[in-house]
Amino acid sequence: MGIFGSLIEGVGSFLGSKQGEEISIESYVQIAEALLRELGVDIKDSRLDLESKNDRGWLIQKGSAQIIILIAENDDDDDPTIEVVSPILKLPPQNILPFYRRCLELNRYLIGCAVCVSEDKVLVRAEMPLSGLNLESIALMILNVAGAADQLDDELAEEFGAKLYDES
């Protein structure tokens, strides 16, 4: 049945919604927090203080990688999104083209997430609109990003001499 099987079975009653019915942002926050509790995360300690009171976020640790989970209203669209992101490295000081090539090659094999760059940070990231997502989809997003980040941070740091994000 999987890691979140018992949660998935009861998700309809937990949210008080029927299939095909719109689910509020607050309901998705409840889903995310239920998943995090199932992973043994202390919700109070993991909550992020964000500028917008409509947005919610959590910071968790998976091995050596920090995982940020954000549920936010989207300025460009009416549909709020969930973003799961893990800053894993600073860009390496040398061999940047081979590094970028390696990241693109890795993206070919990653499931449900991608390695990307923002400013001087290397991230593992996934983002989806909330509408239509269920508990299992959100769990997979978190687990895919967490697993990839935990594996790739040390691997890429060693291969390219890059600093781990938390070392800077």
Side-chain angles (χ1 to χ4, degrees), residues 97-106 155-156 159-160:
L97 288 178
F99 176 79
Y100 284 146
R101 180 183 179 103
R102 178 77 167 107
C103 289
L104 289 170
E105 290 169 346
L106 287 169
E155 183 181 311
L156 289 171
E159 186 176 343
F160 291 95

Side-chain angles (χ1 to χ4, degrees), residues 4 9 14 16-17 30 39 49 56 103 105 126 133 142 148 159:
F4 299 109
E9 278 182 358
F14 174 70
S17 65
Q30 291 175 9
L39 291 170
D49 188 22
R56 302 293 173 78
C103 289
E105 290 169 346
L133 288 183
I142 294 169
E159 186 176 343

Side-chain angles (χ1 to χ4, degrees), residues 116-149:
C116 59
V117 173
S118 177
E119 298 171 1
D120 66 339
K121 296 181 291 267
V122 181
L123 315 168
V124 176
R125 181 179 183 276
E127 184 174 16
M128 296 283 295
L130 284 174
S131 68
L133 288 183
N134 60 24
L135 190 67
E136 191 169 42
S137 301
I138 294 170
L140 284 172
M141 283 181 72
I142 294 169
L143 294 174
N144 287 339
V145 170

